[in-house]
Amino acid sequence: MIVHQAEAVVLRTWPVHEADLIVSLFTRDHGKLKGIAKSASKSRRRFGGALEPMTHVLANYAIKPRQELVRLDSFEIVTSPLSGTIDYTRAAALAFYAEILEEILPDHDPHDAVFRLLLAVLEQTKMGSIWMPLTYFSLWITRLMGWMPDVLRCTHCGTAFAGRPAYWQPHTDGLFCIDHRRLAGSTLSPDSQGLAVRIFRQPIAAFANEDWPRNRAVDLRRFAIQGLEHHLERRLTTAVALAKLGG
Ligand SMILES: [Zn+2]
């Protein structure tokens, strides 16, 4: 049995037995893990307040050979989402990150770029300003999974969009010019194409002072989210909740 301490972000918890919890954890060193926190709901000393999804923790855990679940010994909070004000929209954004990472990340496969993306996005997800970090996260996670097409050229013929709308449709990879679009597709505006280019070139902090109401770049978020759903082969529950908020 090898004992580790690693930075991690809590994704989900499920109650088991009397007071135990199963915790899904995205660790920096070992990728996504599931572990058992014995007596977690009784032991405030070992886990107090640190089991809320999207809490950034230092996790102490033991990996046992031939066992699927690691043993979680204790967590220390680095940053808690509960340290800022939570309203329904911020909670919906945090749940969105958690659902995507839970679905996308393979077990035991570290992904430092995704880990850094998540920490940067969490820092920006404040009450009253969720749409910028949501958009940034949706685009980058799609790209880091290798599912983001070139946003400046038609996937079919390579022609640059050059100030014209691009077209996409559900259940199909890519962005298309007017000649190669299909009926019943959606558009990605030239503004959103330009914004996507900036998002892939600049750190999230570069956007922190921009005005970002919920209707800004809606087409870009929808494009990224449908790409994620297409590859995951299911609707994201939290994306439905966000769509109801207008996002
Ligand atoms: Zn084309």
Side-chain angles (χ1 to χ4, degrees):
M1 184 154 57
I2 307 164
V3 178
H4 298 274
Q5 182 178 70
E7 265 189 276
V9 175
V10 176
L11 298 178
R12 263 190 83 178
T13 61
W14 300 263
V16 277
H17 310 132
E18 282 246 323
D20 301 348
L21 281 178
I22 296 207
V23 183
S24 179
L25 200 61
F26 178 26
T27 68
R28 196 159 203 159
D29 299 355
H30 296 109
K32 193 177 73 178
L33 299 175
K34 283 193 179 59
I36 186 146
K38 286 268 183 199
S39 307
S41 47
K42 285 182 190 158
S43 181
R44 290 202 58 78
R45 187 175 54 82
R46 287 159 53 229
F47 296 104
L51 292 165
E52 182 68 23
M54 293 294 107
T55 307
H56 179 202
V57 296
L58 274 180
N60 295 296
Y61 56 94
I63 296 180
K64 296 194 245 176
R66 294 180 301 282
Q67 290 205 13
E68 198 196 335
L69 294 175
V70 304
R71 190 192 70 204
L72 302 172
D73 293 330
S74 63
F75 290 174
E76 298 158 38
I77 295 177
V78 179
T79 315
S80 167
L82 304 179
S83 64
T85 318
I86 291 254
D87 64 351
Y88 182 74
T89 55
R90 182 162 172 254
L94 298 175
F96 176 74
Y97 307 147
E99 183 182 15
I100 289 179
L101 295 172
E102 179 68 28
E103 289 287 328
I104 270 183
L105 296 170
D107 288 345
H108 305 280
D109 190 7
H111 203 317
D112 204 58
V114 174
F115 198 87
R116 282 182 281 119
L117 170 67
L118 178 60
L119 293 188
V121 161
L122 285 176
E123 196 185 328
Q124 296 290 338
T125 307
K126 298 166 189 155
M127 193 175 84
S129 61
I130 66 161
W131 303 109
M132 183 279 280
L134 265 176
T135 310
Y136 196 93
F137 178 82
S138 303
L139 257 74
W140 263 106
I141 196 75
T142 309
R143 181 173 184 169
L144 291 170
M145 293 296 124
W147 302 335
M148 179 57 70
D150 186 340
V151 294
L152 295 177
R153 282 176 185 76
C154 174
T155 299
H156 185 83
C157 69
T159 302
F161 300 126
R164 291 182 295 267
Y167 300 87
W168 55 272
Q169 51 271 318
H171 317 300
T172 309
D173 285 325
L175 278 170
F176 300 92
C177 69
I178 194 160
D179 295 329
H180 296 114
R181 70 170 174 163
R182 294 192 201 147
L183 293 175
S186 305
T187 58
L188 189 64
S189 70
D191 276 357
S192 287
Q193 296 165 29
L195 192 55
V197 170
R198 279 185 61 210
I199 284 174
F200 291 137
R201 284 186 187 153
Q202 297 183 317
I204 191 168
F207 299 88
N209 295 321
E210 292 184 17
D211 199 24
W212 204 302
R214 68 181 171 193
N215 57 4
R216 184 176 178 193
V218 173
D219 57 345
L220 189 53
R221 277 198 299 281
R222 294 214 171 122
F223 170 65
I225 290 170
Q226 72 80 33
L228 292 167
E229 291 181 332
H230 170 54
H231 284 274
L232 293 170
E233 298 183 337
R234 70 174 197 79
R235 292 301 311 273
L236 292 160
T237 317
T238 52
V240 176
L242 287 165
K244 284 183 186 156
L245 294 171

